[in-house]
Amino acid sequence: MTRHLISQGSPFERDIGYSRAVVDGDTIYVSGTTGFNYATMEISADVAEQAEQCLRNIAWALTQAGASIADVVRVHYILPDADDFPACWPVLRAWFGDVRPAATMFAAGLADPRMKIEIEVTARCQQPG
């Protein structure tokens, strides 16, 4: 099995030097993903809308790797303001309510002050390769 890099084409990937996701064997590592719409480079000011866009971006990367949100086994949520986290719960429950991955929330600064949440996941490939 080979290592496969997945890029969403965001300027952050180019400028910082990382991949949106890396498939290594039967594991998919999706980088911390923010609420930017990478096609337009727009971001909502609303934390729940950012969470929704984060998960759309993550779902896209997982699809490129031959997987889906249902294959997520671990998720990390990073928010500059921990008090914003409950506003995201309905979005997170909609995406992960049946999947129920292991999860951790961190309060930490993010690279851009417009970013209110960043989400990183690890998933298992349904069919390694």
Side-chain angles (χ1 to χ4, degrees):
M1 291 178 217
T2 60
R3 182 175 142 153
H4 175 66
L5 305 179
I6 297 169
S7 174
Q8 203 160 19
S10 86
F12 300 120
E13 294 172 46
R14 178 196 65 235
D15 294 348
I16 299 169
Y18 70 95
S19 296
R20 173 64 43 220
V22 176
V23 181
D24 189 8
D26 67 350
T27 306
I28 306 162
Y29 304 93
V30 180
S31 294
T33 303
T34 64
F36 275 95
N37 174 327
Y38 294 121
T40 65
M41 287 311 292
E42 294 176 352
I43 190 167
S44 171
D46 180 78
V47 69
E49 290 176 14
Q50 285 192 27
E52 181 73 33
Q53 184 64 51
C54 289
L55 291 164
R56 283 194 296 264
N57 293 337
I58 289 167
W60 176 89
L62 291 171
T63 299
Q64 300 306 301
S68 73
I69 289 290
D71 299 306
V72 173
V73 296
R74 180 99 172 118
V75 60
H76 291 145
Y77 304 107
I78 307 155
L79 294 92
D81 184 350
D83 291 337
D84 281 345
F85 195 44
C88 300
W89 293 356
V91 172
L92 305 178
R93 186 171 45 254
W95 283 82
F96 291 126
D98 293 333
V99 179
R100 300 185 58 133
T104 303
M105 190 282 280
F106 301 92
L110 298 177
D112 182 313
R114 296 173 292 173
M115 298 172 180
K116 295 185 177 188
I117 186 168
E118 185 169 324
I119 302 173
E120 171 189 89
V121 305
T122 304
R124 300 298 292 233
C125 294
Q126 293 177 16
Q127 297 182 13

